[in-house]
Amino acid sequence: MGHSAYLVSLDKQAREDLEKRLHSRQSGKCFICDRAIDLILQKGDLDVDHIDPLVEQGLDEENNFALTHASCNRSKGASDLRIARRMAEFEILQSAAQDKGERGANLGHLLTKHGGGKAKLIIQREAGKVKYSMSAIGDNKIYEVPSYMDKLSGMEYFFAVLPLAYLHHDDRINPRSIGSNIRGLIEEFMKKRPQLHVSLAWWAPDAEGAGEVKVFDGQHKAAAQILLGVEALPVRVFLEPDTNVLLQANTNAGGKLRQVAFDPAVMRHLGSSIFLERVQQYQQMKGLEKNDYSFSESDLVKFFKGEHREMQRYIVDSARAAVTKHKDNRLMDFVEWSGKTANQPLSYSAVERTFFSEFLYMKALTTPLDDGMERGDNPRYLEREQLVRLMTLFSDIFFAGKWDPDVGGRQLESRLQKGEMIKEEHLRAWRVAREEILGSIVEWIRLVIENYFAYTGKMVDKKRILHVKLPEELWDRLSAFLINLSKLPCWVDKNLSNTVFGAKQNFDFWRTIFKTGKSTSGVQVLAQPLDLNTLIVEYKN
Ligand SMILES: [Zn+2]
């Protein structure tokens, strides 16, 4: 809160009167969260603060004051009430979306809230120009603007400023949700900096010649401006494009080209939708029924030979996405999807470099897609279900009910060194989730599995280890192994905080510790090397 000479000068009665006036001016609602304020019940827990901050030449007078819940004003680190207010609106949309099981709010949610996504546009295409009108919202002017040809792709497009009612969100090409980094954009726009790039959209007519203008790129800048009350946005609209080409361009932009900051989980999701589309294309072009899956992943790679490298990636993306989106995968509750807020112990990329790289088969299979479906031993099905079970087992032993998101992981080791009391199970969760440690643990999990098959005399393809059904007896071993592992004192040993848990290490560092009990620098981390035979025996207590 900025220091206010005016507020300090008020006596108790004058302050109460001011709160009452602001309360009625704001229709009884908090300036930030827009929920009701009760002057009696919430007495003493209310703040009066400047709307335009004093540091930005805001005035120290009543017109520039707003009434808020004290917690709303303080918890957000809100240096600026105007930003806190937009972020509060965004966060309400965000949690509403998450309550419905979605990953978060996207441009579609914001449009709906602000009267967008309602109308279709009728466009008349003529040589070098397009005509349209927006009569659905009472704007009867006939707009006539030039259209252009994108030389290399042959796609036609035009530029327009369209009211929100005519804008729709395309969650197929852009399945991303909006991240909390939107705050930065809101701040930029509030400082009167202009939008540098226009959002991208596409349009295609239905039988009546009308079509939705679907925004597929630039949703963050669109969303930030909508939150700031903007009612129309500039867009570049592609006319009747091949949306698969746009989808692919957008995927590549995030991957190879890095034009936009895409998180890897979204890349996988896109790859997986392209895979499903290729399957359908293949069926159509081969004249197969929709439910005919008698061809293999490898047939697809051969068929789309112009993009065989991408096809291979889409196959793996699809396998990965099926595991991450699986409703029973409880490990995903502890994964930070993007950014580095450390509210969760695991990063998505750590999951990729451990569980996925160890257990997902990365090549195209030569067996039919539906091979063994009735018997329940389809290899991709087994791989998915068993990997989900394994990840959930891990989560139940190390994370569920143990990791405390309110304590979080930011600077955890140094907080520990400074004497902060951290619950042991929370510390353990944080430590085992480090990529280099999890990587070594996952190698040992594999060892438990391979050792079991060796011991039962069964030959398995090590690269496709989860394509075989793991017997319950082996699951018991895996569970015993992880439970015993969780009891190692090193996970909760504070003295190791500034040695082995200090700097980030590589996989080999922990491989060596598991194998010898000591770190390469000679620190004794375990009483003795890990011993498989002891660890797979159920811990009795
Ligand atoms: Zn509030």
Side-chain angles (χ1 to χ4, degrees), residues 90-102:
F90 171 68
E91 275 154 22
I92 288 169
L93 283 177
Q94 188 81 309
S95 36
Q98 279 160 357
D99 287 348
K100 278 192 250 155
E102 297 166 57

Side-chain angles (χ1 to χ4, degrees), residues 33 100 122 258 387 426 518:
C33 74
K100 278 192 250 155
I122 300 179
R258 299 247 169 254
L387 188 48
H426 182 79
K518 278 189 201 162

Side-chain angles (χ1 to χ4, degrees), residues 30-35 37 68-69 71-72:
C30 166
F31 185 83
I32 293 177
C33 74
D34 216 30
R35 293 187 171 116
I37 282 184
T68 73
H69 295 114
S71 62
C72 285

Side-chain angles (χ1 to χ4, degrees), residues 255-374:
K256 290 185 270 197
L257 308 176
R258 299 247 169 254
Q259 291 171 342
V260 283
F262 249 123
D263 64 88
V266 172
M267 294 278 306
R268 304 311 179 205
H269 177 83
L270 280 173
S272 128
S273 13
I274 300 178
F275 174 70
L276 296 178
E277 279 162 15
R278 291 294 180 272
V279 167
Q280 286 161 6
Q281 261 176 5
Y282 182 91
Q283 288 169 329
Q284 278 166 15
M285 292 165 100
K286 292 270 178 178
L288 303 175
E289 296 287 323
K290 271 192 171 147
N291 54 6
D292 186 340
Y293 297 106
S294 59
F295 48 94
S296 68
E297 292 171 356
S298 157
D299 290 334
L300 289 166
V301 173
K302 279 181 214 140
F303 184 78
F304 297 100
K305 50 178 178 294
E307 48 169 2
H308 68 276
R309 218 176 274 263
E310 285 85 356
M311 258 327 284
Q312 226 139 14
R313 203 181 80 215
Y314 301 151
I315 289 166
V316 185
D317 283 353
S318 166
R320 272 189 277 239
V323 171
T324 51
K325 285 187 297 184
H326 199 290
K327 63 176 177 23
D328 299 332
N329 192 339
R330 292 200 291 272
L331 185 75
M332 288 300 143
D333 298 343
F334 300 95
V335 169
E336 193 119 301
W337 288 97
S338 57
K340 292 182 180 60
T341 58
N343 291 330
Q344 300 300 347
L346 260 178
S347 69
Y348 176 77
S349 58
V351 175
E352 285 219 339
R353 292 190 201 115
T354 57
F355 284 104
F356 288 171
S357 61
E358 191 69 48
F359 292 115
L360 282 184
Y361 185 60
M362 303 283 178
K363 290 188 186 144
L365 290 171
T366 52
T367 47
L369 293 188
D370 60 357
D371 187 44
M373 251 341 179
E374 303 86 64

Side-chain angles (χ1 to χ4, degrees), residues 177-230:
S177 52
I178 297 172
S180 51
N181 55 350
I182 194 173
R183 175 193 285 270
L185 273 172
I186 295 176
E187 285 169 355
E188 283 296 297
F189 287 125
M190 210 114 111
K191 288 179 191 151
K192 306 211 185 301
R193 310 238 161 93
Q195 176 175 351
L196 293 178
H197 300 277
V198 294
S199 298
L200 305 178
W202 62 274
W203 172 93
D206 59 18
E208 274 79 50
E212 295 180 343
V213 174
K214 295 209 147 204
V215 178
F216 66 89
D217 180 81
Q219 67 163 339
H220 280 76
K221 34 187 175 273
Q225 292 178 84
I226 294 172
L227 283 167
L228 289 167
V230 167

